[in-house]
């Protein structure tokens, strides 16, 4: 009888746990979970940087649940191999926090946030304001020195008001087409970019309303 009760309890706990999340899975050495509030959390089981799996085209591991995602958080160090179409079409996505997200091996960032019509916040630290994040002079995780394609990276992000990013290395990028196309609410862009291999910088502060 005790075994039966124990089995029932374990089964109930499993069912309740499953109901607590919209979806979950494994990609490469990482786990990902979308909870009932739409928070997509990507993590690893170790303190070391874990490799996220790769995908072809518009088939990121969570793409079948893109209409449910509201926030993206990397809760432990995650190394991406590609960012192409990563969150494309996540129309309810409001905020993305890029701390713990490593991109030094990424070549393609095209369509990364395309169609994220509700996206307002892209930050490196959930505890920082956008202005504080902008003032951080260097980052060791979100690196773009190997990226060649940023086409349509933010296309259709019509709720994005401001875009701040420091030390953006674009010297290998050959395709910027439609990078901010359809960003109808974008008023201010403040970028410090490294545009060649010797590290010289160009600062742009544009009111593009």
């Amino acid at each position: 009888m005790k075994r039966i009760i124990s089995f029932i309890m374990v089964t109930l706990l499993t069912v309740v746990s499953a109901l607590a999340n919209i979806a979950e899975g494994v990609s490469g050495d990482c786990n990902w979970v979308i909870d009932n509030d739409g928070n997509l959390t990507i993590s690893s089981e170790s303190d070391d940087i874990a490799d996220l799996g790769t995908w072809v085209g518009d088939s990121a591991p969570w793409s079948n649940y893109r209409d449910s995602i509201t926030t993206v958080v990397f809760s432990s160090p995650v190394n991406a191999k590609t960012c192409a179409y990563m969150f494309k079409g996540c129309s309810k996505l409001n905020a993305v926090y890029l701390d713990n997200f490593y991109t030094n091996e990424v070549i393609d960032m095209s369509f990364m946030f395309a169609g994220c019509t509700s996206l307002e916040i892209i930050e490196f630290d959930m505890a920082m304001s956008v202005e504080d994040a902008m003032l951080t002079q260097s980052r060791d995780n979100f690196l773009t020195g190997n990226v060649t394609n940023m086409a349509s990276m933010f296309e259709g992000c019509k709720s994005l008001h401001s875009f701040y990013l420091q030390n953006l290395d674009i010297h290998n990028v050959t395709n910027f087409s439609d990078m901010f196309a359809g960003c109808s609410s974008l008023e201010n862009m403040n970028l410090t970019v490294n545009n060649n291999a010797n590290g010289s910088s160009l600062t742009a502060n544009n009111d593009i309303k």
Side-chain angles (χ1 to χ4, degrees):
M1 186 65 177
K2 288 183 178 179
R3 288 185 178 179
I4 294 175
I5 293 174
S6 178
F7 175 77
I8 292 173
M9 290 299 294
V10 170
T11 302
L12 286 173
L13 287 172
T14 301
V15 171
V16 170
S17 177
L19 290 175
N21 298 318
I22 293 172
E24 56 188 76
V26 176
S27 177
D29 298 322
C30 299
N31 300 316
W32 61 271
V33 175
I34 304 173
D35 67 20
N36 266 345
D37 292 322
N39 301 305
L40 170 59
T41 302
I42 304 171
S43 63
S44 66
E45 295 181 355
S46 69
D47 294 330
D48 296 328
I49 297 178
D51 287 336
L52 191 63
T54 59
W55 53 85
V56 177
D58 191 7
S59 61
W62 40 81
S63 60
N64 289 337
Y65 308 95
R66 68 188 71 193
D67 291 337
S68 301
I69 299 172
T70 59
T71 304
V72 175
V73 175
F74 298 88
S75 64
S76 59
V78 170
N79 180 56
K81 303 290 187 178
T82 182
C83 290
Y85 298 87
M86 193 170 191
F87 304 111
K88 181 179 182 290
C90 293
S91 59
K92 296 180 181 177
L93 179 60
N94 173 259
V96 177
Y97 298 97
L98 295 174
D99 43 324
N100 287 321
F101 184 50
Y102 289 77
T103 59
N104 55 299
E105 296 183 52
V106 173
I107 294 174
D108 192 349
M109 288 187 171
S110 62
F111 296 92
M112 184 176 180
F113 299 105
C116 295
T117 54
S118 301
L119 184 61
E120 296 182 39
I121 300 169
I122 302 173
E123 295 180 11
F124 286 94
D125 190 330
M126 295 178 70
M128 286 185 177
S129 66
V130 171
E131 290 78 10
D132 289 337
M134 181 185 71
L135 293 174
T136 302
Q137 293 301 312
S138 63
R139 298 267 172 205
D140 63 357
N141 63 319
F142 194 78
L143 303 177
T144 55
N146 289 316
V147 177
T148 61
N149 190 357
M150 288 185 172
S152 298
M153 187 174 176
F154 299 97
E155 182 177 359
C157 293
K158 64 181 182 180
S159 298
L160 193 64
H161 294 280
S162 300
F163 185 83
Y164 300 99
L165 193 60
Q166 290 271 352
N167 296 330
L168 186 69
D169 188 343
I170 57 170
H171 78 274
N172 279 320
V173 178
T174 58
N175 190 353
F176 292 103
S177 63
D178 295 322
M179 185 174 178
F180 292 99
C183 294
S184 55
S185 297
L186 189 59
E187 299 175 345
N188 296 290
M189 182 184 298
N190 191 314
L191 303 177
T192 301
V193 298
N194 292 323
N195 61 355
N196 57 47
N198 64 22
S200 65
S201 64
L202 171 68
T203 300
N205 188 350
N206 300 317
D207 184 349
I208 61 173
K209 184 176 181 180

